[in-house]
Amino acid sequence: MVMKALSADHAVAWGVRLAKAEVIPAFPITPQTLIMELLAEFISNGELDADLIPAESEHSVMSVAVGASAGGVRTFTATASQGLALMHEMLYAVPQNRLPIVMVNVNRTLGAAGGIWAEHNDSMPERESGWMQVYVEDSQEALDMTLQAYRIAEDERVLLPVMVCLDGFILSHTVEKVEVPEQGEVDAFLPAFVPRSSLDPSEPVMMNPIVPPEYTTEMRYQLDRAMDDSRNVVHQVDEAFKAAFGRGYGGLIDEYMMDDAEFALIVLGTAASTARAAVDELRAEGRKVGLIKLRFMRPFPHDELRRACSGLKALGVFDRSVSFNRYGPVFTEVSGSLCGSGVPITDHIGGLGGRDITVRDMRKVFSLIEASVEEGKVKRVYWHGLREAKG
Amino acid sequence: MTADEISTIKEMPNNDYFVSGHGACPGCGVAIAVNNIMRILGSDTTVYVPASCLIVFSALYPTSAFRTPLLFTAFENTGAVITGIKAAQRRRGIEGTVVGIAGDGGTFDIGLQALSGAAERQEDVLYICVDNEAYMNTGIQRSGSTPFGAWTTTTPVGKVTQGKRQMKKDVMDLVIAHDPEYAATLSIAHYNDFIRKVEKAKHKSGFRFLHVLTPCVPGWRTEASKSVEIAKLAVETGMWTLFEYEEGEARSTYKPHTMRPVTEYLHMQGRFRHMDNDDLNTLQRWLCAKWYYHYGHDVEQPACAIYNGEKELHFDGDPLHGV
Ligand SMILES: Cc1ncc(C[n+]2csc(CCOP(=O)(O)OP(=O)(O)O)c2C)c(N)n1
Ligand code: SF4
C-alpha cells in the first residue's frame, strides 16, 4: 500500500489500473476528463496494458464498450451528464445481455439551467436502465468501489453493469489522502475476468436478438431477480474487501448513530459528510439524530431501510435532484420502501447545480425533520436555500 | 492469392453460414448479398447487425440465420460496436473477420458518425452497407440513399411534389475521404466481381468498406424474380457503378459497353412510375455527369450524346406509367 494525494477522478483511474481493465472507450466531458487523461498516461507509459479507444461520441463509447464486453474482456468507461444522456439508448443494451461493464459517472447538472457542477439529475433517470448504481462520498471510496464494482459485476450470480457515481468538482477535483493498494493485493481480491459466454467464432452465440412477446416477460424477470440477488453479493464483496484491505462501507447503506436515533436523514454522495458533521454537533447537544448514507440506488435497499427506520419518530430524505413532480427521486423511492411503516417522511431538496450545502443547512434539515412530527406534517417538501421571487 | 481463395462463382463453397429459414421477402437483395458474403467470409467471422430488415428477418429469438457469432444492439452504432468486438478479440488472440452489416439508413444517415469514427481510427474491421435505398424495416421511408424521384412513404406522389427531390448521397466519396485500406461497390448481378471484392476485403487488414446495391421487392415495387436483373440494369444505366479503391486510387472494375437510358432501369420499378419528363431529364443529366466522372469517355453513352448535343432528352410519352 502507498499513500497518495489524489482527486476522486485520479483515484478512479488508479482503481481501473489496478483492476487491469483491457478496453477503455473514452470521450471527454468535464468533470470526468481527468479520469481518461490519467488512464491515457498510464497506457502511454506502459503502466497499464489496455486499449484506450477515443470514440467520436459517448453513444459510440458505450457501443464500443458493449462490443468489447460482449467480446469477453474487462471493460471500463467514464462519463458525466450530457455524455450519460447521449449513452442512454446504449445503457439499455448492457444489463439484459449481462455484460459486467463498470462505468464511473461524475455527477453534473444535465440540460438547461445547469453548468458543470454537481447535481444528481443525470444519473437518477438511469436507475430504470438495469445498471447497478452506487454513490460514493470520498476519493478513497471512489477507488475502492471501482475495485469492488468489478468483483460484484463479474460475480456469476450478478453479471450486471455497475455505475459508480461521484459528485462533480466537490469530489472529482478535490485532492485527498488515498491509500492505493498494491497490485498483488488487488489481484488476489479481483481475479481475471472469465466471460460466461462471449462473441467467439469457435463457440458461436447469438446475443441480443429480436425477442417476441412470448419470452420478454421471462427475460425481464430474470434481470429483476439478478438485481435483487445482487444485494447479498454487495455485502459479501464489501466484507471480502474489508478483510483484504481493512476498509468496509456497509454494503447497500451505511448507518451512523442510528442505534437509538429518533430522527434520521437519508442522504447520498458527498452531502453525507456534511450531514455527519451536523449529527455530531446535534448529538453533543443531546438530540437523538442519526444518519443513513444511501450507497446503492440499484439495487434499492428496501429491506435494509425498513429495518433501519423502524421505530423512528420521523425521517428526512435529502435529494440533490428534482423529479418536477413535487418531490425528488430519492424521496419517492424511500417512500415506496417505507410505505405502511407509519414513519413520517419529509423531502429536502438542496445542493442543486452544485450549490454549497453547509453544516448549518444540515442542522436546519434535522430541525425540520424533528418539527415534522410535532406539527403533524407528513410528506412535506422543503427547498433549502431557496430565494423566492418577490412580488 | 492463396490456394483456398475463391475468385469465381465456380469455386464458391456451398457451405452456408447464413442459412435458409429466415424471414426475408422472396427476392430480397439483402438476403442474396448476405448469403454469399457469409459463404466467402466463412466460419471465422463475427457479425454485428444494427436495426434493419436484416436483423429482423434473421435473428428472431430463439432462432438465428447466422451460424457465426451474432450481435445486435441499436441502429446508429455499427462502426463503434465492431470496433469494440475487434479490440476484445485481438486482446484474446481470436483471429478472423469482424464484420458489421448495416442498411443504407444505418450507414448514410444515423450511422454516418460512427462509420466515420471507425474509418478515421483505421479500425481493423469490415463494414458492409447493404443498400436498398430507403428505411425498409420501418415501412419504406426515404433515406439519404434514396434516388431522385423515387416514391417512398415520406416522399409521396402528391399534387405538389412527386417523389424524392434530392439526389442520392455519395457515401463512397465520404468513406474514401478517410483513405480506407479498401473500399468497393458490389452488385448481386456481377458475381465474379462480387466474389473477388469480398475476398479482397476479407484478406486485407485495416478499415474496409463494401457497398452493395440490394434491390427490395416491396420497397421498389418490383417482381420478386427480377431482383438480379434490376441490379444488372442499375450498372448498365449508370445508376450503380462498380469500382474499388485501394492504395489511394479508385478504379473501375466493370465498364458497360454502352450506357443505357435510365428509363430502362426505372421502368421495372413501381417506385418511379409517376416520374414526368422533367424529372426524368433531371435524373438522366445527373447520371451523365456521374458517368463521365467514373468512366471518362471510354464508354459509349448515347443517352448523354443527346444531352451533350444540347438537345433536350425526350422520352416517348410517359414510358413509366403502367408498370
Ligand atoms: C435510434 C433509432 N431510431 C429509429 C429506429 C427505428 N428503425 C429501425 S430499423 C429502421 C430503418 C432501417 O433502415 P436501413 O438502415 O436502411 O435498413 P433496411 O431496413 O432498409 O435494410 C428504423 C428507422 C431505431 N431502431 N433506432
Ligand atoms: S422489405 Fe426489402 S429489404 Fe426488407 S426483407 Fe423485404 S425485400 Fe428484403
Side-chain angles (χ1 to χ4, degrees):
Chain A
M1 185 269 287
V2 281
M3 198 63 98
K4 284 183 186 291
L6 297 175
S7 66
D9 273 4
H10 282 175
V12 164
W14 271 96
V16 175
R17 168 176 164 168
L18 291 165
K20 296 181 179 165
E22 291 198 68
V23 175
I24 306 173
F27 195 86
I29 183 164
T30 305
Q32 169 279 122
T33 315
L34 299 183
I35 301 176
M36 290 308 168
E37 287 172 345
L38 187 56
L39 285 169
E41 224 173 285
F42 288 154
I43 293 169
S44 70
N45 287 331
E47 293 156 348
L48 171 64
D49 175 18
D51 286 19
L52 187 104
I53 297 175
E56 79 300 329
S57 76
E58 286 91 348
H59 191 283
S60 282
V61 161
M62 191 43 67
S63 299
V64 171
V66 166
S69 189
V73 300
R74 189 170 283 164
T75 304
F76 175 80
T77 190
T79 191
S81 174
Q82 314 288 136
L84 186 65
L86 190 53
M87 282 180 186
H88 175 77
E89 181 192 28
M90 290 313 296
L91 293 182
Y92 282 74
V94 184
Q96 196 77 65
N97 288 314
R98 312 302 290 271
L99 302 175
I101 297 170
V102 171
M103 170 164 71
V104 167
N105 180 62
V106 184
N107 287 107
R108 160 184 156 176
T109 51
L110 173 63
I116 52 174
W117 301 280
E119 199 172 278
H120 292 161
N121 68 338
D122 56 352
S123 56
M124 282 298 162
E126 305 302 357
R127 67 199 195 279
E128 317 295 27
S129 64
W131 281 65
M132 297 178 73
Q133 264 193 1
V134 56
Y135 291 76
V136 302
E137 187 183 340
D138 56 34
S139 294
Q140 186 71 59
E141 194 180 358
L143 188 157
D144 293 350
M145 285 316 293
T146 305
L147 298 175
Q148 286 201 26
Y150 276 111
R151 180 137 160 202
I152 296 165
E154 292 168 5
D155 191 296
E156 281 279 314
R157 295 163 291 176
V158 179
L159 288 175
L160 290 175
V162 180
M163 192 184 299
V164 179
C165 301
L166 61 93
D167 288 336
F169 290 104
I170 302 170
L171 200 51
S172 64
H173 286 57
T174 304
V175 176
E176 297 180 299
K177 242 175 24 181
V178 177
E179 282 185 23
V180 179
E182 297 296 336
Q183 187 65 60
E185 296 174 301
V186 174
D187 291 346
F189 170 77
L190 182 66
F193 173 49
V194 183
R196 190 169 60 172
S197 67
S198 66
L199 298 172
D200 177 354
S202 65
E203 262 179 84
V205 291
M206 169 175 66
M207 282 193 191
N208 204 61
I210 306 296
V211 176
E214 292 94 295
Y215 300 99
T216 313
T217 307
E218 289 66 27
M219 290 182 179
R220 297 284 188 244
Y221 183 73
Q222 286 178 346
L223 184 56
D224 187 69
R225 289 303 84 209
M227 183 62 86
D228 222 45
D229 293 345
S230 72
R231 293 153 199 283
N232 289 334
V233 179
V234 167
H235 282 283
Q236 288 163 13
V237 168
D238 194 52
E239 267 156 35
F241 192 87
K242 195 172 179 183
F245 303 99
R247 290 182 298 277
Y249 293 93
L252 299 174
I253 61 172
D254 182 31
E255 297 170 54
Y256 185 66
M257 299 278 182
M258 285 299 292
D259 284 351
D260 62 342
E262 294 176 350
F263 303 95
L265 178 65
I266 294 180
V267 59
L268 36 78
T270 52
S273 307
T274 319
R276 203 176 288 112
V279 169
D280 288 344
E281 286 187 15
L282 294 169
R283 280 279 173 173
E285 294 163 18
R287 284 155 70 177
K288 295 205 159 168
V289 294
L291 179 71
I292 298 170
K293 175 172 142 191
L294 180 60
R295 300 188 66 242
F296 281 78
M297 275 303 283
R298 286 292 180 274
F300 196 76
H302 301 290
D303 305 334
E304 291 76 0
L305 286 181
R306 277 190 85 88
R307 182 194 44 70
C309 296
S310 74
L312 285 179
K313 286 191 178 153
L315 176 69
V317 172
F318 194 85
D319 261 299
R320 203 170 198 134
S321 58
V322 200
S323 291
F324 306 110
N325 184 30
R326 193 174 299 169
Y327 305 114
V330 186
F331 175 85
T332 312
E333 299 259 352
V334 170
S335 300
S337 287
L338 298 190
C339 180
S341 70
V343 180
I345 314 173
T346 46
D347 193 10
H348 303 266
I349 292 169
L352 301 185
R355 190 179 285 184
D356 264 354
I357 308 159
T358 62
V359 177
R360 236 177 96 201
D361 294 331
M362 284 299 183
R363 287 183 61 113
K364 189 167 172 216
V365 168
F366 277 106
S367 297
L368 288 167
I369 298 168
E370 288 165 340
S372 69
V373 197
E374 288 153 29
E375 294 167 24
K377 286 180 186 164
V378 181
K379 288 198 178 181
R380 277 288 313 272
V381 56
Y382 299 96
W383 287 62
H384 287 271
L386 181 70
R387 299 190 302 272
E388 284 196 73
K390 293 197 179 77
Chain B
M1 194 178 271
T2 59
D4 60 349
E5 276 183 34
I6 311 153
S7 56
T8 66
I9 190 165
K10 282 188 228 125
E11 294 158 29
M12 188 73 156
N14 52 15
N15 194 1
D16 278 337
Y17 290 94
F18 178 80
V19 296
S20 57
H22 57 70
C25 310
C28 172
V30 173
I32 296 170
V34 172
N35 175 265
N36 289 293
I37 288 166
M38 290 306 293
R39 282 180 176 178
I40 302 165
L41 294 182
S43 63
D44 288 345
T45 307
T46 302
V47 183
Y48 178 72
V49 179
S52 57
C53 269
L54 177 57
I55 196 67
V56 172
F57 71 63
S58 67
L60 186 65
Y61 183 84
T63 64
S64 169
F66 287 90
R67 286 171 56 215
T68 62
L70 174 66
L71 176 66
F72 156 67
T73 64
F75 188 16
E76 62 277 54
N77 59 2
T78 304
V81 177
I82 55 180
T83 296
I85 299 171
K86 186 66 195 182
Q89 292 193 347
R90 193 191 314 114
R91 295 195 67 90
R92 295 174 70 199
I94 297 171
E95 283 172 13
T97 310
V98 175
V99 60
I101 310 177
D104 48 286
T107 302
F108 288 58
D109 297 345
I110 198 167
L112 186 62
Q113 177 179 310
L115 164 62
S116 171
E120 183 273 331
R121 294 190 303 272
Q122 300 179 3
E123 301 291 348
D124 182 17
V125 291
L126 172 56
Y127 190 121
I128 299 176
C129 174
V130 280
D131 184 357
N132 52 25
E133 300 191 324
Y135 301 159
M136 294 311 177
N137 181 48
T138 37
I140 323 170
Q141 293 81 31
R142 66 89 88 181
S143 77
S145 168
T146 304
F148 177 80
W151 163 89
T152 68
T153 57
T154 48
T155 52
V157 178
K159 292 200 181 95
V160 181
T161 56
Q162 294 87 38
K164 189 182 170 188
R165 305 320 299 158
Q166 299 81 19
M167 296 295 167
K168 182 180 172 103
K169 188 193 281 190
D170 192 340
V171 88
M172 282 297 280
D173 259 9
L174 295 174
V175 170
I176 287 170
H178 296 76
D179 190 20
E181 188 62 30
Y182 185 65
T185 55
L186 286 72
S187 155
I188 56 168
H190 295 73
Y191 223 75
N192 291 345
D193 184 74
F194 183 106
I195 291 168
R196 199 182 53 76
K197 287 170 176 170
V198 180
E199 267 288 343
K200 216 172 196 178
K202 175 183 172 181
H203 291 285
K204 282 179 181 283
S205 53
F207 190 79
R208 295 146 282 158
F209 183 82
L210 298 178
H211 187 189
V212 198
L213 184 69
T214 51
C216 166
V217 176
W220 294 13
R221 297 188 167 174
T222 56
E223 277 175 50
S225 60
K226 298 276 193 259
S227 295
V228 175
E229 200 178 314
I230 288 168
K232 189 162 183 211
L233 264 170
V235 176
E236 301 302 315
T237 56
M239 285 292 275
W240 192 251
T241 41
L242 291 171
F243 65 103
E244 65 188 355
Y245 172 92
E246 58 190 327
E247 287 163 16
E249 277 186 44
R251 66 171 195 97
S252 294
T253 58
Y254 170 83
K255 288 184 185 178
H257 280 299
T258 94
M259 184 193 205
R260 310 261 286 267
V262 71
T263 43
E264 289 187 25
Y265 173 71
L266 307 183
H267 203 57
M268 299 184 75
Q269 306 171 51
R271 62 176 171 156
F272 298 114
R273 68 193 295 174
H274 57 275
M275 282 176 76
D276 62 18
N277 278 352
D278 281 351
D279 277 3
L280 292 171
N281 274 319
T282 304
L283 182 60
Q284 183 65 66
R285 236 183 243 128
W286 179 78
L287 272 178
C288 289
K290 207 164 105 111
W291 186 274
Y292 292 127
Y293 174 73
H294 279 283
Y295 303 119
H297 291 271
D298 292 3
V299 182
E300 280 186 56
Q301 49 259 309
C304 300
I306 307 170
Y307 166 52
N308 266 353
E310 291 180 356
K311 270 194 265 168
E312 272 301 317
L313 280 168
H314 287 292
F315 298 100
D316 303 331
D318 217 351
L320 300 178
H321 281 223
V323 173

